[in-house]
Amino acid sequence: THARGEERWVRRSATPRTHAMTSLFYPFRALGYVNEGVPFVEHRRGTEHFVTVSAGKAFQVYNCERLRLVLVGPQGDADITALAVKGDLTFAAHGRDIVVCRRTHRVCVFGGHADTVTALFTFGPRLYSICAGGRVLGWDIGKDALDHLDGKRSSAAKRAADIVAASMADDGDGSSDSDSDESDSDALDDDETAFDEDHDLPRHDPDTGAHLPREYRMPEGFTPTCICHPDTYLNKVLIGATDGRVLLLNVNTGKHIYVFHPNNMLNPSGSAVTCLEQSPALDTVAVGLGNGRVVIQNVRFDRTVVDFTHDGSGRAIRSMSFTTGNQDPLIAVGSDAGSISVWDLEKRRLRTIMPGTHDGAVTQAHFFLGQPVLMTGGADNALKQWIFDNADGTGRLLRFRAGHSAPPTRVEFYGEGLRILSAGDDRALRVFSTIQDQQSKELSQSHVERRAKKLGVAEQELKLPPIRGMAWCEVRERDWANVVTCHAGETRAYTWRLANGVLGEHVLQPPAKMGVKRKLGISNRVGFPISAVAVSACGNFAVIGNEGGEVHRFNLQSGQHRGVFKRPGPPRESAGGQDEQAASNGIPEHERRRRQLNLRGGKNSIWNMADKSYGMDAIEAAKKAPKLPAHSGQVSAIQTDGANKQTVTCGFVDGVVRVWNFGEQKLEGEMDTGVGCVAASLHRPGALVAVAGADRVVRVLDIAGMRRVRSLRGARTQVKSLQFSADGRWILANSADGAVRVWDVPAARLVQTMRMSRDCPVVDLSLSPNMDTLATVHEGRRGVYLWANSQMYSAPGAGLAGASTRVAGVDDSDSEEAVATEDEARETLVELPRLHAELGDAGEIILGATEEEEADPNVNLAEKAEKEAIEDAKKEAGPKGAGSDARRRRAPEPVAPGLATMAMLPKVQWASLARLDEIRERNKPIQGPKK
């Protein structure tokens, strides 16, 4: 190998960087990652099948029987580009480096490629890697080699190494000058191959002692793309190239055995070889090409057995798999078009084609050994299993695991915070469980798969448009639909049954004749897209608003329209400012009202009905009085209180916040913000509503007193979404620049600005009802990220750097008396959470660290905390108990005298405290003691 100064062949695992612990929220975990488009690896352990997949920067292992998540590997520095598995070892390519893991333990890192590694392949005691630059390297992955790197060499191996070292030292003492020159020349020759040709043993770097890989020279103009091993061909592999050639290589000697030219494989255009697959028949290999053709070639005689075109799309073939055992001889082919075609090799004809198998490229397809079950993985973040047991030979979906195929744009905690609702541009509504990943699912959209199969189109084309807003209520979850969504460009709102995981039976369509009358010169606003939705606290009603300014109420059980929110228009005046009928009779309006009240029965009496001058004119005038929509323009937000008494609506065009009587749909009051309202959040217990304006100011309004109580400044760009905390003390908002800002409402000050990731801005956020977890979705990321609240899990008395407790005065204007922007806290940067918390992260999640400790990545906070606890225990115990108490961790200090702090204690010690009365009642003796 040609060693380069900037390359390190093998590196030990480095200590991960610590996160800044001054942030209000620190990384916890990520949800929704299943398969990130890298070809998976299927392997057997005993009688069970497992599959290793890529999930961004870490790998995951699923049990194929139920597709249950088994374990998650350590997270790397970059996204995984290739995977390989051998026994307990997993090899994951992160850019130019190859990370070697034994189960979840990170053993070492192979670093020798100058470009991104695109393919990994295990064969015998070596790992072969191909990079985008065309280099092919072979790495020794034998037990002794990896144990040496991992520091876990056996005693026998150590004794053997000591004997070899001693014999080499003895030979060196008695060697002559000629012998040393000869050994130097041999070492130079060996350096070119990095392997001893006599014993085929790996050599070591004289400086670091690391194992050096072997580099295989390719023919001129040969850029490798894929690799496979033909059965019964000892020490030989097949390597495909971008020019259509296939090379048969001896991996022991590095000799080029044979080159298969594209003309002999019916590939005169020289299309690239994208994948290779060994068939159950000897000397037969399937070759997938970049033009969508598959060629089954006899490598012994260099002859084509059969060739066919995948699906006519001309897209590149990405994966192929053959059936084995007593099954029909079939081959499944997947391509970039997202479809799977299954061919009968015995009859040499197409058996079935499954369009839209994945919403994107099919990166891997694999038939299980001796079973008619096909597993596929795609770039749409999904794993699927298909079984071919139908009478016509077609396959059906057996089981699957999937996440969002496109980055989600909406996220909300549901219920008590154990489930999360999310939606994105993939036109799917998903629910994620924060406890068990297998409970996460996508809500069905009325037999989309069956209809797509019947029409011969992809499922994506039949799904509803992307969701732009959603609302829910947990009270009536098991009775009827309890989730309402509005979609981009849709004039109807849709209901969902979360308990059943299906689309609801009712569609909320505003009546066609509702709107402003044309007599007033205003067009009838019917057919506008729905822009905002809300569900009442009782779960019986849904309130929807559209871009035309209308707000309607519906009953969720029946789907019937139950009223429209309208504000009174300008009074209709005639000559002299009186009604036409009143003017004709010459009776003043106040006199008519007085005479009307003196009649028996009031305005509805028969005398009043007989004489129109006594009140019938007022009834007619009231019927003819104009009514205007709730807002002049788009309704940007709708909020309902917890008692079904009031409804709050916000207008994006008129900038007015209106409060309505929920039962009568009458206007109770309004507050003009002066700017367009972008988003709103209502704190139900406190009757406060936070409104984000187009001027980057968040206004807190009191809907009971109809006044503004706070103006929160500090956002540099427009706020996209915001939310009140459960206690009403915080307001969290994300803006167009991707930052998350937290305001203290009583102090009217910006507490902190958080940058969650450097290159993935936050799109939406949601705080759990318990305020312990924050959920965010990011641009370009298909997962839902969870963040833990450091104010709930930090050590007692540990304050937040930059937080202020100054109480600001109440302001009712946007003058300088409001909170100034220079009071905002310093900005913090927090990296995205990992898939799961790791054991090595123990030092990273210790809160209350000083800035000096955070700045030094070499400081092990866990060890330092342990040492401090031991020293404190020694001081408290004295000389007698120092030996035993020094090993005990210090108990957490109480927040105040007389209180018990349960932080950092096992759950079994505090879980039963809330049920002490039940325990005492249950443990009471049934009978008194007998004397």
Side-chain angles (χ1 to χ4, degrees):
T1 55
H2 303 282
R4 302 181 180 180
E6 69 277 8
E7 294 179 353
R8 290 180 296 173
W9 292 107
V10 180
R11 300 190 303 274
R12 291 186 183 273
S13 301
T15 303
R17 295 178 301 174
T18 58
H19 299 289
M21 288 302 132
T22 56
S23 176
L24 280 173
F25 295 90
Y26 65 91
F28 177 45
R29 60 173 299 197
L31 302 175
Y33 283 105
V34 178
N35 181 27
E36 281 292 278
V38 176
F40 62 78
V41 182
E42 188 271 342
H43 50 99
R44 295 183 62 184
R45 302 296 291 169
T47 58
E48 296 185 352
H49 293 264
F50 296 90
V51 58
T52 301
V53 301
S54 165
K57 297 182 179 181
F59 65 86
Q60 299 181 141
V61 180
Y62 289 92
N63 189 317
C64 295
E65 183 179 0
R66 294 291 181 88
L67 286 182
R68 185 184 299 271
L69 184 64
V70 177
L71 58 87
V72 178
Q75 182 159 317
D77 297 331
D79 290 340
I80 294 177
T81 56
L83 284 171
V85 176
K86 182 179 181 181
D88 287 337
L89 297 176
T90 302
F91 307 92
H94 298 266
R96 297 180 296 179
D97 298 333
I98 303 173
V99 178
V100 184
C101 298
R102 182 178 281 110
R103 294 181 65 85
T104 59
H105 172 66
R106 186 169 178 173
V107 177
C108 61
V109 179
F110 293 153
H113 287 283
D115 297 289
T116 302
V117 178
T118 57
L120 295 176
F121 182 72
T122 58
F123 176 46
R126 297 184 194 140
L127 169 72
Y128 300 94
S129 58
I130 300 175
C131 70
R135 299 179 66 189
V136 180
L137 300 181
W139 309 83
D140 182 21
I141 57 173
K143 186 177 185 303
D144 291 339
L146 292 182
D147 285 349
H148 173 75
L149 296 174
D150 197 18
K152 296 181 179 180
R153 302 180 67 187
S154 61
S155 58
K158 291 180 180 179
R159 288 195 298 268
D162 294 339
I163 294 174
V164 172
S167 62
M168 292 179 63
D170 295 340
D171 294 342
D173 294 339
S175 61
S176 61
D177 296 339
S178 60
D179 293 338
S180 62
D181 294 340
E182 183 179 355
S183 63
D184 290 341
S185 63
D186 292 341
L188 181 61
D189 294 337
D190 290 340
D191 253 6
E192 295 180 358
T193 61
F195 273 76
D196 191 333
E197 295 183 358
D198 296 334
H199 303 285
D200 195 25
L201 294 176
R203 296 183 60 85
H204 300 81
D205 190 338
D207 297 331
T208 62
H211 290 265
L212 298 179
R214 178 175 185 177
E215 181 172 1
Y216 297 93
R217 292 184 176 87
M218 297 291 105
E220 184 178 358
F222 190 96
T223 304
T225 57
C226 52
I227 182 173
C228 82
H229 166 63
D231 292 344
T232 71
Y233 283 64
L234 187 63
N235 299 327
K236 296 176 182 63
V237 295
L238 288 170
I239 302 177
T242 56
D243 57 0
R245 290 183 290 175
V246 178
L247 171 66
L248 182 62
L249 175 70
N250 188 313
V251 295
N252 275 1
T253 63
K255 183 179 179 181
H256 301 166
I257 304 299
Y258 189 78
V259 177
F260 300 88
H261 291 278
N263 291 332
N264 296 336
M265 295 184 293
L266 305 181
N267 184 20
S269 61
S271 182
V273 178
T274 55
C275 59
L276 296 169
E277 183 69 19
Q278 169 67 39
S279 72
L282 297 180
D283 305 323
T284 307
V285 176
V287 181
L289 303 178
N291 57 7
R293 295 182 60 254
V294 177
V295 178
I296 299 180
Q297 191 79 1
N298 188 305
V299 296
R300 183 175 183 180
F301 300 104
D302 193 11
R303 295 178 182 174
T304 300
V305 179
V306 64
D307 71 296
F308 49 84
T309 303
H310 167 54
D311 58 358
S313 63
R315 307 288 294 275
I317 304 298
R318 291 301 173 190
S319 181
M320 300 173 294
S321 182
F322 292 89
T323 55
T324 56
N326 297 326
Q327 308 298 324
D328 295 337
L330 304 176
I331 179 175
V333 182
S335 70
D336 285 343
S339 59
I340 293 286
S341 61
V342 181
W343 295 78
D344 192 326
L345 297 178
E346 185 176 358
K347 299 179 180 179
R348 298 192 177 189
R349 68 180 186 183
L350 178 67
R351 169 172 286 196
T352 182
I353 185 169
M354 300 182 293
T357 304
H358 289 274
D359 298 332
V362 179
T363 58
Q364 184 73 325
H366 177 78
F367 271 111
F368 288 105
L369 185 64
Q371 302 179 29
V373 179
L374 176 70
M375 173 174 279
T376 61
D380 58 348
N381 195 22
L383 279 176
K384 298 182 180 181
Q385 289 184 5
W386 311 81
I387 183 170
F388 294 85
D389 58 354
N390 293 333
D392 56 354
T394 59
R396 60 181 177 87
L397 186 62
L398 181 62
R399 61 179 65 94
F400 70 98
R401 288 290 299 273
H404 281 288
S405 60
T409 57
R410 299 288 301 173
V411 62
E412 279 196 25
F413 272 100
Y414 177 84
E416 298 180 354
L418 301 182
R419 288 180 287 179
I420 297 177
L421 297 175
S422 65
D425 293 334
D426 58 350
R427 303 184 175 189
L429 177 61
R430 292 189 172 273
V431 53
F432 292 99
S433 172
T434 59
I435 305 300
Q436 293 183 344
D437 289 338
Q438 57 267 24
Q439 294 182 359
S440 303
K441 60 184 178 181
E442 177 186 354
L443 274 65
S444 173
Q445 297 189 19
S446 183
H447 307 292
V448 173
E449 178 187 353
R450 184 185 306 173
R451 289 185 290 147
K453 184 177 180 180
K454 183 177 181 180
L455 298 176
V457 297
E459 296 181 15
Q460 192 77 3
E461 300 179 8
L462 299 181
K463 289 185 177 181
L464 297 174
I467 294 175
R468 292 295 176 256
M470 54 184 170
W472 55 269
C473 180
E474 195 181 16
V475 176
R476 294 291 189 173
E477 177 180 350
R478 300 194 176 276
D479 296 331
W480 49 73
N482 66 316
V483 178
V484 180
T485 58
C486 60
H487 302 254
E490 275 286 334
T491 60
R492 302 177 295 178
Y494 292 85
T495 60
W496 305 78
R497 283 181 173 264
L498 193 61
N500 302 332
V502 298
L503 188 68
E505 59 272 16
H506 301 303
V507 178
L508 309 183
Q509 173 72 55
K513 294 185 178 181
M514 292 294 175
V516 183
K517 295 185 178 181
R518 298 181 182 272
K519 296 181 180 180
L520 301 178
I522 304 176
S523 61
N524 195 0
R525 301 169 185 253
V526 176
F528 285 95
I530 305 299
S531 57
V533 293
V535 177
S536 62
C538 63
N540 295 320
F541 297 97
V543 183
I544 64 175
N546 59 22
E547 295 182 359
E550 299 175 356
V551 178
H552 300 266
R553 189 181 68 171
F554 290 85
N555 184 280
L556 287 176
Q557 182 180 9
S558 62
Q560 297 296 319
H561 185 263
R562 289 294 181 262
V564 58
F565 294 82
K566 287 189 175 184
R567 54 191 169 96
R572 300 182 61 184
E573 297 181 356
S574 59
Q578 298 178 349
D579 187 81
E580 296 179 359
Q581 186 68 25
S584 60
N585 294 336
I587 303 174
E589 184 179 359
H590 66 277
E591 184 66 23
R592 289 187 295 106
R593 290 182 179 177
R594 185 185 307 169
R595 293 176 57 184
Q596 169 182 303
L597 294 176
N598 291 333
L599 293 175
R600 187 174 182 179
K603 64 179 181 180
N604 295 326
S605 64
I606 58 173
W607 304 103
N608 200 20
M609 296 292 292
D611 188 357
K612 292 184 180 181
S613 63
Y614 289 145
M616 194 61 187
D617 53 348
I619 298 177
E620 294 295 330
K623 291 182 178 180
K624 296 180 180 180
K627 295 289 185 179
L628 299 178
H631 291 274
S632 301
Q634 177 181 343
V635 179
S636 57
I638 301 175
Q639 300 288 323
T640 59
D641 67 348
N644 280 5
K645 291 184 178 181
Q646 291 179 321
T647 301
V648 181
T649 61
C650 303
F652 178 75
V653 178
D654 54 15
V656 178
V657 178
R658 291 189 169 92
V659 182
W660 308 80
N661 183 289
F662 181 82
E664 300 179 0
Q665 296 97 47
K666 291 183 179 181
L667 182 64
E668 292 185 350
E670 62 181 30
M671 291 168 280
D672 191 356
T673 62
V675 295
C677 301
V678 179
S681 176
L682 177 66
H683 183 244
R684 288 179 173 177
L688 297 178
V689 59
V691 180
D695 58 350
R696 301 175 296 178
V697 177
V698 177
R699 296 168 175 84
V700 182
L701 309 177
D702 182 6
I703 61 176
M706 295 298 172
R707 64 192 184 96
R708 180 172 52 181
V709 294
R710 292 289 187 274
S711 290
L712 308 179
R713 304 175 185 274
R716 300 177 183 175
T717 55
Q718 182 172 305
V719 175
K720 295 297 184 181
S721 63
L722 75 164
Q723 182 181 355
F724 257 110
S725 61
D727 60 358
R729 187 175 183 85
W730 282 357
I731 290 180
L732 293 85
N734 71 287
S735 52
D737 58 357
V740 175
R741 291 174 172 84
V742 182
W743 283 277
D744 189 327
V745 178
R749 292 196 61 180
L750 180 64
V751 177
Q752 194 173 81
T753 300
M754 294 173 290
R755 297 280 178 179
M756 296 175 171
S757 156
R758 301 178 185 273
D759 53 352
C760 303
V762 177
V763 177
D764 194 18
L765 56 81
S766 178
L767 185 64
S768 63
N770 297 329
M771 296 176 54
D772 57 349
T773 308
L774 175 68
T776 60
V777 290
H778 298 252
E779 182 179 338
R781 294 286 180 176
R782 294 189 284 195
V784 177
Y785 294 90
L786 302 183
W787 311 77
N789 188 347
S790 62
Q791 298 301 292
M792 300 190 67
Y793 297 108
S794 60
L800 176 68
S804 175
T805 58
R806 181 181 66 86
V807 180
V810 178
D811 63 85
D812 294 324
S813 65
D814 292 337
S815 63
E816 294 183 356
E817 296 179 0
V819 181
T821 57
E822 58 266 15
D823 289 338
E824 76 174 57
R826 68 182 180 89
E827 193 172 286
T828 61
L829 174 64
V830 190
E831 296 297 334
L832 288 176
R834 303 181 179 183
L835 294 178
H836 288 275
E838 301 175 12
L839 184 61
D841 297 338
E844 301 182 27
I845 60 177
I846 294 180
L847 306 178
T850 61
E851 296 183 3
E852 291 78 6
E853 293 170 344
E854 295 163 5
D856 187 2
N858 297 322
V859 175
N860 192 324
L861 300 180
E863 294 180 0
K864 184 174 181 179
E866 184 70 24
K867 291 179 180 179
E868 293 178 355
I870 294 175
E871 292 177 359
D872 294 340
K874 288 181 178 180
K875 294 179 181 179
E876 295 175 1
K880 294 183 179 181
S884 58
D885 293 343
R887 297 183 180 88
R888 301 177 184 174
R889 293 189 60 89
R890 180 177 54 184
E893 298 179 0
V895 178
L899 297 181
T901 301
M902 302 301 167
M904 309 301 294
L905 294 180
K907 184 178 180 180
V908 295
Q909 296 187 16
W910 53 263
S912 59
L913 294 180
R915 299 185 176 182
L916 289 179
D917 295 337
E918 298 179 12
I919 295 174
R920 293 192 187 99
E921 187 69 24
R922 184 186 60 189
N923 294 339
K924 281 184 178 180
I926 301 176
Q927 297 179 356
K930 296 181 179 180
K931 296 183 180 180

